[in-house]
Amino acid sequence: MFKLVFKNLISHPIRSGITAVSVGVALFLICLLTSIVTTLQSGLEAASATRLVVMSSISLFVDIPLSYQERIAKVDGIKNIVKWQWFGGYYQDQKNFFAQFAVDPDRMFEVYPEVKVDEATKQKFLTQRNACIVGSQLAAEFPEWVETGKIPITGALFPHPSGAAWDFELAGVYRSEAANFDNRTLFFRWDLFEETLKGEGEAPGVGVYVMNVEPGADIERMRAEIEGMFENGPATVRCDTESEFTRQFISMLGDIPMFLSWIGAGVLVAILLGAINAMLMAGREQTHDVGILKALGFTDGAAFGLLITQSLILCVFGGVLGIALAAALEAPITLALGAQFPGFFIKDSTYLAAAAVSLVVGLAAGAVPAWTALRVNCVEALRAKGA
Amino acid sequence: MPEPMIRVRDLTKRYQRGGETLTVLNNLKLEMEEGRFYALMGPSGSGKTTLLNLVGGLDSPDSGELIVAGENLAELDNNDLARWRAANVGFVFQGFNLIGVLTARENVELPLKLTPLSAAQRRKQAETALQLVGLGDRMDHRPRQLSGGQEQRVAIARAIATDPKVILADEPTGDLDRKSAEQVLDLLVRLNREFKKTILMVTHDPAAAERAQSIVHLDKGQLGRIEHNQPAVAAK
Ligand SMILES: Nc1ncnc2c1ncn2[C@@H]1O[C@H](COP(=O)(O)OP(=O)(O)OP(=O)(O)O)[C@@H](O)[C@H]1O
Ligand SMILES: [Mg+2]
């Protein structure tokens, strides 16, 4: 019986091939779209509810004064405070895009324990003024940095007073296992940043302050206190937990996750219709064979099995294809998505879901022809024209 | 007197067409002895195929009793009927009804999958059956690569592969030329004589009917006369 299933499938190599490949491509796309959404979500899930972020109440893109740091640090329950400033430079060419931030080197590792560096790197970053650390993904993209130890970054927002690029020296590579902290960023020291620009006149402002808090601290009280502290200017701020901050940051992407889900659903419906169509054709062609099988003494269940198995084989084969494609392309896709989607990865549960979807599509596509084969009267089936 | 192989009593079969009811078989009564070769003749539309399908359990009657190979078909559900068919009846159709994607050998092996035989035994039995019908050298051909006569002989090999008691043949020579038809008829006669198969063969061809031991006439849903030939003659 399996031989008959198999021979029916290969007797229409083009149709079978197209059906399996289209299921495969669709599942690949679904893996991809789902992973974009889950990558965003995992950043959100990993984001800490016990870290606080202070930003301008106007917009993330508006600076807040340097002088706030000391005052915030005094709030009861704050453990460490680190300031971040978006540098917005580029390496050699504008299209080599990645994020760079000026940060307080010493506090950085206190506030973000999930960022791992080796001791030598840490010491160099803490002691050498023009040192920087880069994420492992970024280091892999620009192997020359590790070779030469030099990273010249052109300051697009903050040009170096000399007119040349900022010359950073690589202290080492960091690795973050947390989904909310990507491995594609460069961090350099605030003191270098501030002092280099100070010669030009005005000291730079701060993008955000990030603080970790003492265990058991009353987050809501601290938020209220910090926001209240600067209520009368010079710049008003808002203070959120990191998870809330991340959620808002993601919501700046608007309804993209929802939109992606709709595309995924659309793709799913399209392949389902395609697979149903292919299986209906197969079912019609094999009606006569079903009549023969029943006359020979095969049961109605066997007739059902003949068609549902073909459908399942096609769709599961397609599913395996799509999952294999996604697994094989995960690394290149992560690279290609790089700056827009640092930390892109495909969850195991996404692969499992894709496998389940291929099974469901197989069952759904085979259901009607298989049920028809089960029900059809033997004499009528024999009257049907054979393939 | 031994129990007949096929016993039909008060058999009625109607079809609904549009608003009309067409009574194809009307209180038919018929008995067929084990090991005999019957030809069933009658005008087109007289219900020959209908009767054959009922006897073979492919279709169910509106009323009446059908006892075939010792089994009362009315008492079997769909699945039991299928199993009963697999064990007791071999079909040969006018249009051969081979499965196009399978080779001759695979077609013959197909009903054997419903038996407890091992794969090797199935293969051997299929080959034996194909050799019996003279197609030992065509086993790996697909139906499309065979002539009509050869196709019908594959179908006969398939019908006898499981060694059923009854062979039901619906115009088995209807699509064949004279020579191929003769070969098929020779085979059926041989199956009847050597292997004691009970055969019921529908035919329009009086020459074909002559090869059977008895000729049953069907007209307007009623059984006509039954002729008993001289015991069948194997050709040449
Ligand atoms: N499924 C069906 N629905 C309606 N009418 C049917 C059906 N099957 C057969 N009939 C009608 O029943 C009658 C008997 O058909 P049957 O096929 O048994 O005749 P037959 O004697 O085999 O004819 P032929 O020699 O042409 O094969 C015909 O009038 C046919 O049109
Ligand atoms: Mg007929």
Side-chain angles (χ1 to χ4, degrees):
Chain A
M1 197 65 178
F2 189 75
K3 190 179 272 173
L4 183 55
V5 165
F6 183 68
K7 289 210 166 184
N8 271 315
L9 287 174
I10 59 171
S11 74
H12 292 279
I14 296 180
R15 184 172 73 207
S16 296
I18 287 178
T19 308
V21 167
S22 68
V23 170
V25 169
L27 283 175
F28 167 69
L29 277 177
I30 287 172
C31 279
L32 214 69
L33 295 172
T34 307
S35 296
I36 288 178
V37 175
T38 57
T39 299
L40 284 172
Q41 278 169 350
S42 62
L44 196 58
E45 282 156 17
S48 169
T50 57
R51 259 192 305 247
L52 292 173
V53 179
V54 173
M55 60 179 263
S56 158
S57 61
I58 300 164
S59 143
L60 188 55
F61 307 107
V62 173
D63 286 349
I64 43 183
L66 200 51
S67 59
Y68 282 17
Q69 185 162 10
E70 263 177 56
R71 295 177 62 191
I72 296 171
K74 283 193 193 114
V75 170
D76 194 28
I78 299 281
K79 224 160 113 186
N80 290 288
I81 176 165
V82 59
K83 52 183 173 293
W84 290 52
Q85 180 56 284
W86 173 257
F87 185 62
Y90 57 87
Y91 171 64
Q92 288 176 341
D93 193 310
Q94 299 250 19
K95 70 177 197 291
N96 289 332
F97 178 80
F98 55 88
Q100 310 99 32
F101 289 98
V103 295
D104 298 317
D106 46 347
R107 316 275 178 65
M108 184 70 194
F109 301 115
E110 306 291 338
V111 177
Y112 290 99
E114 62 265 52
V115 176
K116 310 274 192 239
V117 290
D118 60 36
E119 198 49 38
T121 300
K122 188 171 177 180
Q123 283 314 316
K124 191 168 178 189
F125 191 48
L126 290 180
T127 53
Q128 193 178 322
R129 235 168 51 101
N130 66 342
C132 70
I133 55 174
V134 302
S136 52
Q137 194 186 335
L138 202 53
E141 281 173 57
F142 301 102
E144 66 268 28
W145 295 351
V146 182
E147 274 165 41
T148 63
K150 304 256 182 262
I151 309 178
I153 300 288
T154 306
L157 297 177
F158 302 100
H160 196 274
S162 71
W166 294 60
D167 277 317
F168 297 117
E169 216 165 286
L170 182 64
V173 173
Y174 75 83
R175 211 173 298 277
S176 151
E177 256 112 59
N180 62 313
F181 204 105
D182 69 65
N183 283 303
R184 206 176 177 278
T185 302
L186 180 153
F187 294 98
F188 64 99
R189 292 168 56 118
W190 183 275
D191 51 354
L192 174 83
F193 179 59
E194 185 179 336
E195 282 156 31
T196 305
L197 295 175
K198 229 179 196 161
E200 290 293 285
E202 214 170 320
V206 175
V208 294
Y209 291 106
V210 183
M211 296 88 77
N212 58 348
V213 301
E214 302 284 358
D218 182 351
I219 303 257
E220 281 312 308
R221 175 196 49 81
M222 293 166 72
R223 288 178 56 185
E225 188 176 337
I226 291 168
E227 287 182 3
M229 211 150 62
F230 306 109
E231 217 167 34
N232 302 315
T236 53
V237 300
R238 57 182 298 172
C239 178
D240 290 314
T241 61
E242 184 182 76
S243 41
E244 175 64 15
F245 175 77
T246 310
R247 201 188 58 71
Q248 284 179 4
F249 186 73
I250 290 171
S251 77
M252 291 191 337
L253 295 170
D255 285 333
I256 286 182
M258 179 56 97
F259 182 62
L260 293 180
S261 306
W262 279 109
I263 296 180
V267 168
L268 202 65
V269 169
I271 48 153
L272 183 60
L273 293 180
I276 287 176
N277 187 40
M279 284 316 298
L280 284 176
M281 262 156 88
R284 265 196 306 277
E285 286 164 7
Q286 289 169 42
T287 303
H288 190 244
D289 288 359
V290 165
I292 297 172
L293 288 173
K294 289 191 175 184
L296 291 180
F298 284 87
T299 56
D300 296 343
F304 183 88
L306 174 71
L307 281 139
I308 203 85
T309 316
Q310 289 177 51
S311 180
L312 277 173
I313 288 178
L314 280 186
C315 294
V316 168
F317 183 74
V320 168
L321 210 71
I323 289 170
L325 200 64
L329 293 182
E330 182 181 1
I333 289 168
T334 306
L335 265 187
L337 285 176
Q340 288 74 30
F341 259 94
F344 173 86
F345 76 111
I346 304 178
K347 282 183 160 181
D348 288 349
S349 62
T350 303
Y351 287 128
L352 272 179
V357 165
S358 72
L359 266 177
V360 170
V361 169
L363 286 175
V368 171
W371 184 250
T372 309
L374 182 140
R375 294 299 304 277
V376 73
N377 172 281
C378 174
V379 177
E380 251 150 59
L382 281 172
R383 242 198 308 260
K385 201 64 222 111
Chain B
M1 190 176 151
E3 183 71 8
M5 180 58 81
I6 299 170
R7 189 216 296 271
V8 175
R9 268 199 206 138
D10 303 327
L11 190 70
T12 300
K13 178 71 181 175
R14 303 187 189 91
Y15 287 115
Q16 301 290 339
R17 231 177 349 191
E20 283 173 66
T21 303
L22 179 74
T23 304
V24 180
L25 300 176
N26 192 4
N27 280 319
L28 199 78
K29 188 171 186 303
L30 175 67
E31 283 185 6
M32 295 186 177
E33 280 168 45
E34 178 168 2
R36 265 189 95 84
F37 184 170
Y38 296 86
L40 179 60
M41 298 191 76
S44 184
S46 57
K48 304 182 294 296
T49 298
T50 303
L51 177 60
L52 207 70
N53 289 342
L54 288 171
V55 169
L58 297 182
D59 209 348
S60 48
D62 290 288
S63 64
E65 193 180 55
L66 269 166
I67 296 173
V68 184
E71 196 74 54
N72 186 345
L73 300 192
E75 288 169 0
L76 302 179
D77 68 19
N78 241 6
N79 282 341
D80 287 338
L81 205 54
R83 278 184 271 276
W84 171 83
R85 263 201 310 272
N88 294 287
V89 190
F91 286 96
V92 181
F93 301 93
Q94 177 174 7
F96 321 137
N97 282 349
L98 298 175
I99 291 185
V101 296
L102 298 179
T103 64
R105 189 208 321 264
E106 289 163 348
N107 266 289
V108 178
E109 272 184 52
L110 207 51
L112 293 170
K113 300 220 169 160
L114 298 166
T115 67
L117 296 182
S118 74
Q121 289 170 318
R122 290 201 300 261
R123 193 182 164 90
K124 187 149 176 297
Q125 192 146 338
E127 286 173 3
T128 308
L130 280 164
Q131 269 149 7
L132 185 79
V133 300
L135 290 173
D137 55 344
R138 293 284 192 281
M139 302 209 216
D140 294 315
H141 286 55
R142 300 267 206 99
R144 222 170 296 158
Q145 299 163 321
L146 297 170
S147 74
Q150 288 169 334
E151 277 193 78
Q152 194 60 299
R153 282 187 283 151
V154 173
I156 291 174
R158 182 180 63 188
I160 58 171
T162 54
D163 197 26
K165 299 193 183 87
V166 181
I167 292 176
L168 301 175
D170 195 352
E171 300 188 44
T173 58
D175 284 357
L176 301 180
D177 60 61
R178 193 71 249 161
K179 186 160 165 288
S180 301
E182 283 304 325
Q183 283 179 331
V184 163
L185 290 166
D186 288 348
L187 259 173
L188 291 174
V189 169
R190 208 178 139 208
L191 290 174
N192 168 246
R193 290 194 140 191
E194 280 178 34
F195 299 92
K196 303 288 174 265
K197 301 291 177 206
T198 307
I199 300 179
L200 176 55
M201 175 183 75
V202 172
T203 185
H204 282 289
D205 177 5
E210 283 307 312
R211 305 289 301 273
Q213 291 163 324
S214 307
I215 303 177
V216 181
H217 289 270
L218 192 65
D219 200 2
K220 302 200 179 87
Q222 296 287 343
L223 219 53
R225 64 211 148 84
I226 300 184
E227 300 167 52
H228 293 289
N229 292 338
Q230 295 301 318
V233 212
K236 299 141 243 172

